[in-house]
Amino acid sequence: MTYIRLTIALGLAALTAACGKKAETPVAAETSQAAPATEAMSGDMGNMAMAPSATSAIKAKGHGTVTAIDKTAGTITLDHGPIPEAKWPAMTMAFKAAPAITDAAKVGDKVDFDVTLVGSAGEVTAIQKKP
Ligand SMILES: [Cu+2]
């Protein structure tokens, strides 16, 4: 039973703020009332650029079975169970994976894995074969 943990720098520095939690942009309550004072309006201007990001990274844990490995493409395909952190149902899909992961896993392995999800794509960052 091997456990491989990789530190992967693939642009994750930009996602540090989302580490372990969902980024939630506070939504300012808007009213249809006319602003009574210009200073209130200028005070709101600072929020105008805060559009919610369409894709924020989610770190999650998954469980599944390895169904394919493509070392050339750097992907591992997993038949995985639901991932509630991302509201994903069970499915079979390919994830990006570093060589240390694609080298360590074999088709047919039942595994627990750590995954970083961005939108509908994901990267397996650690994998552990179940006995
Ligand atoms: Cu999936």
Side-chain angles (χ1 to χ4, degrees):
M1 189 162 64
T2 55
Y3 187 70
I4 296 127
R5 176 169 285 282
L6 300 176
T7 303
I8 297 176
L10 298 169
L12 292 180
L15 305 171
T16 306
C19 184
K21 62 178 182 181
K22 291 173 191 165
E24 291 185 7
T25 304
V27 178
E30 291 187 30
T31 69
S32 56
Q33 297 169 345
T38 47
E39 30 184 41
M41 290 182 68
S42 61
D44 287 340
M45 298 296 270
N47 294 328
M48 291 185 67
M50 292 180 65
S53 160
T55 54
S56 55
I58 297 170
K59 294 193 175 184
K61 296 199 179 287
H63 315 280
T65 303
V66 179
T67 61
I69 293 169
D70 187 333
K71 293 183 186 183
T72 305
T75 60
I76 185 166
T77 304
L78 294 162
D79 180 355
H80 69 75
I83 300 180
E85 293 93 327
K87 299 191 177 79
W88 279 11
M91 70 181 92
T92 300
M93 64 180 287
F95 294 91
K96 283 200 324 186
I101 288 174
T102 55
D103 287 348
K106 292 200 308 290
V107 171
D109 283 354
K110 297 206 182 316
V111 295
D112 298 325
F113 58 94
D114 292 354
V115 64
T116 299
L117 306 171
V118 180
S120 61
E123 171 158 2
V124 173
T125 58
I127 198 164
Q128 178 180 28
K129 183 179 176 180
K130 290 185 187 175

